[in-house]
Amino acid sequence: MKLHTATENKDIKLRQLHKACHTPISYQKHCPNCEQEVDPEEIVKAYEYSKNKFVVLDEEDLKQLKKENEDKAVEILDFVKLEEIDPIYFERSYFLAPGDGGNKAYSLLHKALEQSGKIGVAKIIIRSKEQLAIVRVYQQCLLMETIHFPDEVRKVEDVPSIPMDKDVDTKQLKTALLLIDQLTTSFDPTAYHDEYREDMMKLIEQKQSGEETVTASSKKPTATNVTDLTAALQESLERTKPKRKAAVKRKTPARKKA
């Protein structure tokens, strides 16, 4: 099967510019110990097991792990009910499409999951990383959602300042329940909008239409500068020629007659 991202991050990404010339700021990899920039071929991957203590993993180690995991790219483990999984485990959604010649198997799995009311729990390799996932029916398509492993979800006991005493005022509770009842409705995802993003795009479009834009500066040597520099060097050499010739004449000793 083939994966297709089912969701999209709509955040508006802003670039950082140098205020003086409006040039985008570059982020270079720099070694603070050697005080120099580091080329990609000089970088190795490592795991920090303690403060400033590392285990270096070379490319051969990583390639071997990847090769061993390629044989189990997708592995169905169990079938469960969707409501048994708490939403805290869900991470990212992908549409599943059948691979070459896989239409019948795709349709069979879709129909079987639909009639059973179950979802499949699977392990899958994405970008060399093993992830837990579930496969379920979504309209006419199969949907795969990656979910966190249990040890990736932090314990509630680690959250500070949670009140243990749950006693509340009865009158205030009735008011809260009445408010919930008044706002209860069927879930319609189209009823909700990212108002901040919409307002941000309106502001950007207004500035763009009003020509409130800037262009990044680019400092490149021009042909004129090169010509001027060459001419200046030539002129400097010309000025020193007479002096150099005179100095050579003075230093040449007279030949003695035999």
Side-chain angles (χ1 to χ4, degrees):
M1 294 187 184
K2 298 178 181 178
L3 301 181
H4 303 272
T5 305
T7 58
E8 183 180 0
N9 188 342
K10 289 286 188 176
D11 286 349
I12 298 173
K13 297 180 180 179
L14 302 179
R15 296 287 306 275
Q16 291 185 325
L17 308 180
H18 183 199
K19 188 176 181 179
C21 63
H22 302 121
T23 302
I25 301 299
S26 62
Y27 296 91
Q28 298 170 331
K29 293 183 179 179
H30 179 268
C31 176
N33 181 61
C34 300
E35 296 183 350
Q36 66 181 35
E37 293 180 17
V38 182
D39 295 329
E41 58 270 15
E42 298 179 293
I43 299 175
V44 296
K45 295 180 181 179
Y47 173 76
E48 187 174 13
Y49 64 90
S50 182
K51 183 67 175 178
N52 289 330
K53 294 184 180 294
F54 303 89
V55 173
V56 176
L57 301 172
D58 57 36
E59 290 300 322
E60 289 300 321
D61 294 329
L62 299 176
K63 284 180 180 179
Q64 184 63 32
L65 285 175
K66 183 178 180 181
K67 186 177 180 181
E68 291 175 357
N69 286 322
E70 280 178 349
D71 296 334
K72 51 176 182 178
V74 179
E75 181 184 2
I76 298 291
L77 304 175
D78 298 297
F79 292 94
V80 301
K81 293 182 178 180
L82 179 61
E83 55 268 25
E84 294 176 346
I85 303 178
D86 192 283
I88 195 173
Y89 285 95
F90 291 96
E91 186 178 9
R92 192 167 187 178
S93 302
Y94 296 88
F95 288 127
L96 288 177
D100 296 336
N103 287 355
K104 288 186 177 180
Y106 185 92
S107 299
L108 177 62
L109 180 58
H110 185 282
K111 182 62 82 173
L113 291 177
E114 187 177 45
Q115 290 193 4
S116 67
K118 303 291 178 63
I119 63 172
V121 179
K123 280 186 178 180
I124 186 169
I125 305 297
I126 301 179
R127 300 184 187 93
S128 302
K129 179 186 176 184
E130 185 176 75
Q131 290 196 256
L132 198 59
I134 62 104
V135 178
R136 66 182 180 91
V137 172
Y138 180 78
Q139 298 178 12
Q140 303 303 315
C141 183
L142 286 177
L143 182 75
M144 187 190 77
E145 296 185 78
T146 55
I147 61 177
H148 295 288
F149 284 100
D151 60 353
E152 294 178 320
V153 178
R154 293 177 178 174
K155 296 179 181 179
V156 175
E157 291 80 4
D158 297 335
V159 182
S161 305
I162 295 181
M164 302 306 295
D165 185 7
K166 296 298 191 296
D167 291 336
V168 295
D169 183 78
T170 304
K171 186 176 179 180
Q172 291 178 342
L173 178 59
K174 287 182 178 179
T175 303
L177 290 172
L178 179 62
L179 177 62
I180 291 174
D181 184 62
Q182 291 175 345
L183 295 177
T184 298
T185 184
S186 298
F187 178 67
D188 178 13
T190 62
Y192 308 97
H193 303 274
D194 187 342
E195 296 180 3
Y196 174 81
R197 177 166 58 87
E198 291 174 352
D199 291 341
M200 175 69 81
M201 285 306 303
K202 287 179 182 177
L203 176 62
I204 292 172
E205 289 170 0
Q206 287 174 2
K207 285 182 172 290
Q208 187 176 6
S209 62
E211 296 185 355
E212 295 182 54
T213 61
V214 295
T215 302
S217 300
S218 178
K219 288 188 177 180
K220 294 182 179 180
T222 60
T224 304
N225 292 338
V226 175
T227 304
D228 291 346
L229 179 59
T230 305
L233 288 172
Q234 185 64 35
E235 185 180 349
S236 177
L237 288 172
E238 292 294 335
R239 285 199 304 267
T240 59
K241 277 183 179 181
K243 295 180 181 178
R244 290 175 61 190
K245 288 180 179 178
V248 170
K249 287 181 179 180
R250 284 196 299 269
K251 290 182 179 180
T252 303
R255 292 183 179 181
K256 295 182 179 179
K257 293 182 180 181

